[in-house]
């Protein structure tokens, strides 16, 4: 090995650095993720010396002027919502997700919207050839000449191009295919990904050009996961969903310029992604009529209430140990709720298997869906269907009490809008919905799970 290089081990999940190989990463506890990389010692020794330090001066807050176009609307409502109202100038955004989920499609559609408004956009792809991008673009629709494509993996050349073209937005598809000569390891390795993100960050902050970076999420293999750069970027968006189903959910995991609990819902069609502006209707599509064990619950995703169907199947255990599974929600939470039903509701569930499923493949972890899970279990156990036009929400406590949840009146309003006739909600929410009038909706207040069992 040359003298100016040394060998270190990086965790591909979280970027932890170590001089030795280890089976388990001490930082993120994942197994078999440490991979050897060569880094140059010379370079690290020169960082921070007086010669290459940039000269910046302290400024008073009042001297900083904000322009009128600090945020650029993307023209895609669901994307704007997740970004917190649009793209911020000079922001560095990471879009992560499994391969094939639709990241390139979403960002190409973003390019289409912006270039239609005569904004210069540069789409850099290290994955596809110009003709492959053209084929994708043909499916999406018309593009103007404001969109420029660049197939390149050398970040130095890309930076030169950006400085020459001065676009209003840059897309890097994907970070794992890019390389820089500054780091000696192969593209996709932790040191490459870190180095390139650092370069892009500097560029975005100094020029004010917002940059979107696409990153694949990988459990194994030799590409670094987006975890490694999460702390460097301003915004981390994850694009998720079942690859076999057509809807996709865009979620903000980190956002320096907005809230992180908003979600955007899209549907993948033959002509690209379309926005789903009313996800509840979409999620409830194809619900069975009067089936026991099925109930509609309401969860707040950011500022928007979403109705979801919770299904439970409770049946007798055939072999000694009862089986429980939870799909779309927390498994331990389901076990806990069943223990509460057993002890406080006097239901004998110890000889029952239970399978819980949140339909639509969406994951719901808000405590307000507790009451929905409990209701579905009771309904399936007693084999009594819950009325089709009923919505339930509320948090269940360990003593079997039903606790209040936030934004109760918004949830009831959404239920009324979708044509539900009955809402079962915590008694303690009475105050927050008191003053409001809801037409055609009957409100039923419950204070503990015994009352809930009696209602069903
Ligand atoms: P893509 O954006 O290439 O995924 P990623 O960049 O996250 O790897 O999306 C690819 C999938 O989307 C592929 O399975 C085909 C499908 N698709 C459509 O169904 N309709 C379309 O109009 C397009 C462009 C893609
Ligand atoms: Mg892609």
């Amino acid at each position: 090995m040359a003298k100016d290089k040394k060998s270190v081990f990086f965790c591909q999940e979280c970027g932890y650095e170590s001089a030795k190989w280890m089976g388990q990463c001490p930082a993120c506890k994942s197994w078999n993720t440490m991979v050897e990389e060569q880094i140059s010692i010379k370079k690290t020794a020169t960082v921070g010396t007086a010669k290459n330090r940039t000269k910046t001066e302290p400024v008073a807050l009042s001297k900083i002027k904000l322009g009128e176009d600090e945020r650029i609307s993307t023209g895609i409502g669901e994307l704007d919502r997740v970004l917190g109202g649009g793209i911020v100038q000079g922001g560095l955004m990471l879009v992560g997700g499994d391969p094939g989920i639709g990241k390139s499609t979403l960002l190409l559609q973003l390019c289409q919207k912006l270039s239609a408004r005569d904004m210069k956009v540069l789409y850099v792809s290290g994955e596809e050839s110009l003709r492959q991008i053209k084929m994708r673009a043909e499916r999406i629709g018309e593009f103007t000449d404001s969109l420029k494509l660049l197939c390149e993996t050398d970040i130095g050349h890309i930076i030169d191009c950006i400085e020459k073209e001065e676009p209003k937005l840059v897309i890097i598809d994907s970070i794992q295919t890019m390389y820089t000569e500054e780091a000696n390891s192969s593209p996709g390795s932790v040191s490459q990904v870190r180095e390139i993100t650092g370069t892009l960050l500097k560029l975005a902050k100094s020029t004010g050009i917002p940059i979107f970076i696409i990153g694949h999420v990988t459990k194994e293999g030799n590409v670094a996961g987006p975890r490694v750069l999460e702390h460097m970027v301003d915004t981390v968006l994850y694009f998720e969903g079942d690859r076999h189903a057509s809807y996709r959910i865009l979620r903000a995991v980190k956002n320096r310029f907005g809230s992180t609990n908003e979600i955007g819902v899209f549907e993948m069609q033959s002509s690209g992604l379309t926005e789903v502006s009313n996800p509840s209707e979409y999620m409830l599509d194809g619900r069975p009529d009067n089936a026991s064990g099925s109930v509609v619950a309401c969860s707040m995703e950011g500022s928007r209430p979403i109705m979801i169907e919770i299904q439970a199947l409770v049946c007798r255990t055939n072999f000694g140990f009862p089986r429980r599974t939870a799909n779309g929600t927390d498994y331990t939470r389901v076990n806990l709720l069943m223990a509460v039903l057993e002890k406080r509701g006097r239901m004998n569930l110890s000889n029952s298997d239970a399978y819980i499923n949140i339909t639509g493949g969406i994951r719901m972890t808000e405590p307000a869906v507790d009451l929905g899970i409990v209701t579905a279990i009771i309904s399936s156990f007693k084999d009594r269907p819950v009325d089709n036009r009923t919505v339930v929400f509320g948090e269940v406590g360990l003593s079997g009490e039903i606790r209040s949840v936030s934004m109760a009146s918004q949830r009831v309003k959404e239920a009324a809008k979708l044509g539900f006739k009955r809402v079962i909600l915590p008694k303690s929410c009475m105050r927050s919905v008191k003053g409001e009038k809801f037409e055609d909706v009957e409100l039923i207040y419950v204070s503990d799970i015994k009352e809930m069992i009696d209602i069903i």
Side-chain angles (χ1 to χ4, degrees), residues 215-283:
H216 295 295
V217 176
T218 44
K219 269 259 139 58
E220 284 126 25
N222 287 333
V223 279
R227 274 295 128 68
V228 177
L229 41 131
E230 264 177 11
H231 65 279
M232 297 172 90
V233 299
D234 296 313
T235 304
V236 180
L237 308 179
Y238 274 99
F239 210 26
E240 49 189 44
D242 188 355
R243 219 182 323 161
H244 306 289
S246 60
Y247 58 82
R248 302 279 185 269
I249 290 162
L250 188 68
R251 209 182 271 281
V253 180
K254 163 183 175 181
N255 196 351
R256 287 196 182 134
F257 318 117
S259 109
T260 51
N261 37 25
E262 294 288 355
I263 62 168
V265 186
F266 295 90
E267 189 180 356
M268 182 63 97
Q269 293 181 343
S270 57
S271 59
L273 291 155
T274 49
E275 297 174 55
V276 177
S277 44
N278 196 343
S280 303
E281 255 170 41
Y282 194 71
M283 297 290 163

Side-chain angles (χ1 to χ4, degrees), residues 103-105 123 127-128 136 173 214 216:
K103 302 179 295 296
S104 307
T105 309
Y123 187 100
E127 298 203 329
E128 291 159 306
R136 183 199 302 278
D173 185 5
I214 294 181
H216 295 295

Side-chain angles (χ1 to χ4, degrees), residues 212-377:
F212 273 93
I213 299 175
I214 294 181
H216 295 295
V217 176
T218 44
K219 269 259 139 58
E220 284 126 25
N222 287 333
V223 279
R227 274 295 128 68
V228 177
L229 41 131
E230 264 177 11
H231 65 279
M232 297 172 90
V233 299
D234 296 313
T235 304
V236 180
L237 308 179
Y238 274 99
F239 210 26
E240 49 189 44
D242 188 355
R243 219 182 323 161
H244 306 289
S246 60
Y247 58 82
R248 302 279 185 269
I249 290 162
L250 188 68
R251 209 182 271 281
V253 180
K254 163 183 175 181
N255 196 351
R256 287 196 182 134
F257 318 117
S259 109
T260 51
N261 37 25
E262 294 288 355
I263 62 168
V265 186
F266 295 90
E267 189 180 356
M268 182 63 97
Q269 293 181 343
S270 57
S271 59
L273 291 155
T274 49
E275 297 174 55
V276 177
S277 44
N278 196 343
S280 303
E281 255 170 41
Y282 194 71
M283 297 290 163
L284 296 179
D285 205 22
R287 201 155 49 99
D289 275 347
N290 286 321
S292 71
S294 156
V295 68
V296 176
C298 179
S299 173
M300 289 303 287
E301 292 294 324
S303 56
R304 182 162 59 165
I306 291 185
M307 303 288 164
I308 39 155
E309 183 193 349
I310 298 179
Q311 294 184 328
L313 183 66
V314 179
C315 48
R316 230 191 63 224
T317 306
N318 284 323
F319 305 103
F321 195 71
R323 273 177 69 93
R324 269 110 208 237
T325 65
N327 206 347
T329 184
D330 194 13
Y331 170 76
T332 45
R333 190 89 201 152
V334 170
N335 270 336
L336 186 146
L337 292 173
M338 292 190 71
V340 172
L341 274 175
E342 181 124 26
K343 175 103 179 166
R344 311 285 175 196
R346 308 237 173 273
M347 276 169 65
N348 185 12
L349 292 166
S350 56
N351 288 323
S352 304
D353 291 346
Y355 307 93
I356 310 294
N357 182 28
I358 294 194
T359 60
I362 190 168
R363 254 195 95 72
M364 291 284 163
T365 46
E366 210 212 337
V369 299
D370 284 358
L371 192 58
I373 297 173
V374 164
T375 312
I377 293 172

Side-chain angles (χ1 to χ4, degrees), residues 78-292:
E78 296 289 293
L79 182 58
D80 273 350
R81 173 199 294 279
V82 179
L83 286 171
I87 303 168
V88 173
Q89 304 280 16
L92 189 62
M93 279 83 44
L94 171 70
V95 180
D98 292 331
I101 205 82
K103 302 179 295 296
S104 307
T105 309
L106 176 70
L107 293 182
L108 196 60
Q109 279 182 270
L110 167 65
C111 290
Q112 182 195 25
K113 295 277 184 204
L114 293 188
S115 62
R117 301 202 312 245
D118 267 343
M119 284 173 75
K120 257 188 167 175
V121 184
L122 181 66
Y123 187 100
V124 185
S125 179
E127 298 203 329
E128 291 159 306
S129 68
L130 289 173
R131 286 160 65 191
Q132 285 169 327
I133 301 173
K134 173 82 180 165
M135 276 160 71
R136 183 199 302 278
E138 301 253 284
R139 297 175 75 171
I140 293 172
E142 297 279 314
F143 282 80
T144 68
D145 283 349
S146 303
L147 169 67
K148 292 268 163 49
L149 302 173
L150 177 66
C151 287
E152 179 59 62
T153 53
D154 178 2
I155 202 76
H157 182 66
I158 294 170
I159 302 261
D160 289 345
C161 269
I162 295 173
E163 281 171 349
K164 201 175 89 211
E165 294 272 330
E166 296 182 341
K168 289 277 181 283
L169 177 77
V170 176
I171 315 278
I172 305 285
D173 185 5
S174 64
I175 187 81
Q176 280 108 355
T177 55
M178 301 293 153
Y179 81 94
T180 165
E181 275 160 12
E182 311 270 309
N184 303 80
S185 44
S186 57
S189 59
V190 173
S191 43
Q192 283 280 355
V193 163
R194 268 197 198 152
E195 190 73 37
I196 296 167
T197 313
T199 316
L200 291 172
L201 184 68
K202 234 184 272 164
L203 181 77
K205 299 297 164 202
S206 60
T207 58
I209 302 172
I211 302 177
F212 273 93
I213 299 175
I214 294 181
H216 295 295
V217 176
T218 44
K219 269 259 139 58
E220 284 126 25
N222 287 333
V223 279
R227 274 295 128 68
V228 177
L229 41 131
E230 264 177 11
H231 65 279
M232 297 172 90
V233 299
D234 296 313
T235 304
V236 180
L237 308 179
Y238 274 99
F239 210 26
E240 49 189 44
D242 188 355
R243 219 182 323 161
H244 306 289
S246 60
Y247 58 82
R248 302 279 185 269
I249 290 162
L250 188 68
R251 209 182 271 281
V253 180
K254 163 183 175 181
N255 196 351
R256 287 196 182 134
F257 318 117
S259 109
T260 51
N261 37 25
E262 294 288 355
I263 62 168
V265 186
F266 295 90
E267 189 180 356
M268 182 63 97
Q269 293 181 343
S270 57
S271 59
L273 291 155
T274 49
E275 297 174 55
V276 177
S277 44
N278 196 343
S280 303
E281 255 170 41
Y282 194 71
M283 297 290 163
L284 296 179
D285 205 22
R287 201 155 49 99
D289 275 347
N290 286 321
S292 71

